[in-house]
Amino acid sequence: MNCIFCKISAGEIPAEHALEDEHVLVFRDVRPQAPTHFLVIPRVHVASLHELEDVELGGRLLTAAARVAREAGLDEGWRLIVNTREHGGQEVDHLHLHVVGGKRLGPMLPS
Ligand code: AMP
């Protein structure tokens, strides 16, 4: 499968890893939208949040997001964004959670 995030998970494409275990990988977004911007992905290919059925994996992804935010010192707050499918603005078709922070963020849905 020609999936860039599967290749990052497999180590075939370099990324700046922040956290990882056998189920989940967290790495820095290559085009950060805030001073801190991580992507949390499952190692198995799940196309988007729309396809997620695995309750345990969902918990692992959320927990990894919280953990990396704490480890990055985002104690004043941060935002989790999951762009989902075409209308949600998803560009990479492998489920990923954006963890963004490091500054006061603007409105969630700017017009
Ligand atoms: P989305 O629009 O939610 O699908 O977000 C995809 C994100 O993946 C964007 O923020 C990109 O900057 C990021 N991205 C794409 N390719 C890479 C890569 N090779 N390494 C790190 N982040 C990437």
Side-chain angles (χ1 to χ4, degrees), residues 4-5 8 13-15 27-33 37 39 82-83 89-93 96 98:
I4 187 168
F5 286 177
I8 287 175
I13 291 179
F27 54 97
R28 286 194 187 270
D29 196 294
V30 77
R31 289 188 298 274
Q33 304 297 313
H37 188 167
L39 298 174
V82 190
N83 297 326
Q90 183 177 1
E91 289 180 357
V92 176
D93 290 333
H96 51 283
H98 296 258

Side-chain angles (χ1 to χ4, degrees), residues 13-105:
I13 291 179
E16 199 179 323
H17 294 202
L19 271 184
E20 56 189 305
D21 63 22
E22 61 181 304
H23 305 285
V24 173
L25 172 64
V26 185
F27 54 97
R28 286 194 187 270
D29 196 294
V30 77
R31 289 188 298 274
Q33 304 297 313
T36 304
H37 188 167
F38 296 107
L39 298 174
V40 181
I41 67 166
R43 288 204 185 269
V44 294
H45 186 83
V46 178
S48 81
L49 186 57
H50 201 71
E51 283 75 25
L52 183 66
E53 302 263 17
D54 184 334
V55 172
E56 188 177 322
L57 181 58
R60 289 182 186 281
L61 292 165
L62 278 179
T63 306
R67 196 167 142 211
V68 78
R70 285 195 301 272
E71 290 186 2
L74 301 180
D75 299 329
E76 289 171 276
W78 48 284
R79 187 171 291 164
L80 190 66
I81 300 167
V82 190
N83 297 326
T84 303
R85 291 196 164 179
E86 191 180 345
H87 283 195
Q90 183 177 1
E91 289 180 357
V92 176
D93 290 333
H94 180 127
L95 171 59
H96 51 283
L97 284 55
H98 296 258
V99 172
V100 291
K103 68 173 185 181
R104 183 179 294 275
L105 299 167

